[in-house]
Amino acid sequence: MLSNWMKNFVLIFSITFLLTGCTALTDSDQNKNGMLPAEVFKNIDGDTVTVKVRGKEETIRLLLVDTPETQHPRLGVQPFGPEASDFAKEILYPGRKVEIEPGINYGRDKYGRLLAYIYVDGKMFNERLLEEGLARVAYVYPPNTKYVDVFYDIQDEAKKKEKGIWSIENYSTDEGFQADKAAQSGYKTGIEGGEAACRGKIKGNMNSMIYHVPEGSYYNSDIKEIEWFCTEKEAKEAGYRKAKR
């Protein structure tokens, strides 16, 4: 007969399998091209987006690229962060059909986000960020180095053209983005529009997908993840609905 300890172990294992095993992504979820069909649910920033796969929400962290921050609690809004975020919203808008190429063994980062490449109409979005000078090649960790050589070539072209982040000398480095260098160059975050220029206006709660206007009852409530909009129309187009109060 099974001991009580063994019975408890079997019970816990069975529950864990039912809760996790049935929802884990596997190769069987891929289409004939080896991709995971998905639909964009909401944008978070330039290199992070939430999609729906098999009807389940999955947050994707783009592999091998890093865009400047827009919502970091310590770094705040970095130069070209709003531009990268706006570019992502333009291409990866809610409802858009995309394909996901997961990293090796469906790896995840420390936040539980799926590491992957995203394709829109056959074009890899990771590459587009690099082409526009809105991201740097970063977080190069084996075994997920499949496209790293191609990425560095694209980055070199953006550097030569001094596009985006490469228009500010010594701003983008192997250690990250150096905001002090941008300040010395005279760059001001939000000068070209984007989320930074809309701070203090329409406040979107990224967890509930509800937006709040300044005169609303909950406008000044503690919201962990905020997305700013200049107008209510922009908030609605991004998939948010207005707070009832």
Side-chain angles (χ1 to χ4, degrees):
M1 293 178 67
L2 291 175
S3 66
N4 289 333
W5 180 88
M6 183 59 72
K7 289 179 180 178
N8 289 335
F9 175 82
V10 172
L11 178 61
I12 292 172
F13 178 83
S14 299
I15 293 174
T16 301
F17 177 79
L18 289 173
L19 292 177
T20 60
C22 293
T23 59
L25 295 171
T26 66
D27 291 345
S28 63
D29 297 307
Q30 299 176 352
N31 60 24
K32 62 181 181 180
N33 297 319
M35 303 286 186
L36 294 173
E39 179 181 307
V40 176
F41 179 63
K42 68 177 178 180
N43 296 99
I44 296 177
D45 58 21
D47 53 31
T48 310
V49 62
T50 299
V51 302
K52 285 188 176 181
V53 182
R54 294 194 319 182
K56 176 180 175 291
E57 289 180 27
E58 187 76 66
T59 299
I60 306 294
R61 176 59 172 83
L62 299 181
L63 270 167
L64 299 179
V65 297
D66 181 37
T67 62
E69 299 288 348
T70 58
Q71 305 174 57
H72 196 281
R74 179 173 58 83
L75 300 174
V77 180
Q78 296 179 314
F80 288 101
E83 288 85 344
S85 182
D86 286 347
F87 183 70
K89 290 175 185 175
E90 179 184 344
I91 306 299
L92 302 175
Y93 52 80
R96 183 147 202 186
K97 303 296 184 182
V98 297
E99 291 184 309
I100 309 297
E101 180 183 353
I104 302 298
N105 296 324
Y106 297 86
R108 296 176 183 273
D109 66 8
K110 61 182 180 180
Y111 302 109
R113 301 176 298 190
L114 181 67
L115 301 172
Y117 309 94
I118 293 184
Y119 294 79
V120 181
D121 296 331
K123 174 69 175 178
M124 189 196 296
F125 184 69
N126 309 51
E127 291 184 349
R128 295 192 66 173
L129 285 170
L130 294 170
E131 290 170 350
E132 297 296 324
L134 296 175
R136 67 188 182 97
V137 179
Y139 306 117
V140 182
Y141 303 124
N144 286 310
T145 58
K146 182 177 181 180
Y147 301 109
V148 68
D149 291 336
V150 174
F151 281 17
Y152 275 123
D153 287 342
I154 296 173
Q155 178 173 276
D156 287 342
E157 284 300 311
K159 280 185 180 181
K160 291 177 184 178
K161 298 175 181 178
E162 297 185 349
K163 299 184 70 172
I165 59 176
W166 307 111
S167 65
I168 304 174
E169 187 175 4
N170 299 321
Y171 171 52
S172 179
T173 70
D174 291 338
E175 288 71 42
F177 299 102
Q178 310 302 317
D180 58 327
K181 300 297 182 182
Q184 292 172 15
S185 73
Y187 179 95
K188 293 183 179 180
T189 302
I191 194 169
E192 296 180 15
E195 244 184 45
C198 300
R199 287 181 176 271
K201 297 181 180 179
I202 309 299
K203 180 189 288 187
N205 185 330
M206 296 179 68
N207 291 318
S208 65
M209 294 302 288
I210 293 175
Y211 72 84
H212 303 269
V213 295
E215 60 271 18
S217 300
Y218 299 105
Y219 186 79
N220 294 316
S221 61
D222 183 24
I223 297 176
K224 302 300 182 184
E225 292 186 88
I226 300 173
E227 183 173 9
W228 294 100
F229 300 97
C230 289
T231 66
E232 290 189 55
K233 180 181 177 182
E234 291 177 358
K236 290 176 181 177
E237 289 177 346
Y240 287 78
R241 65 183 188 281
K242 187 175 184 178
K244 294 182 178 178
R245 291 192 291 170

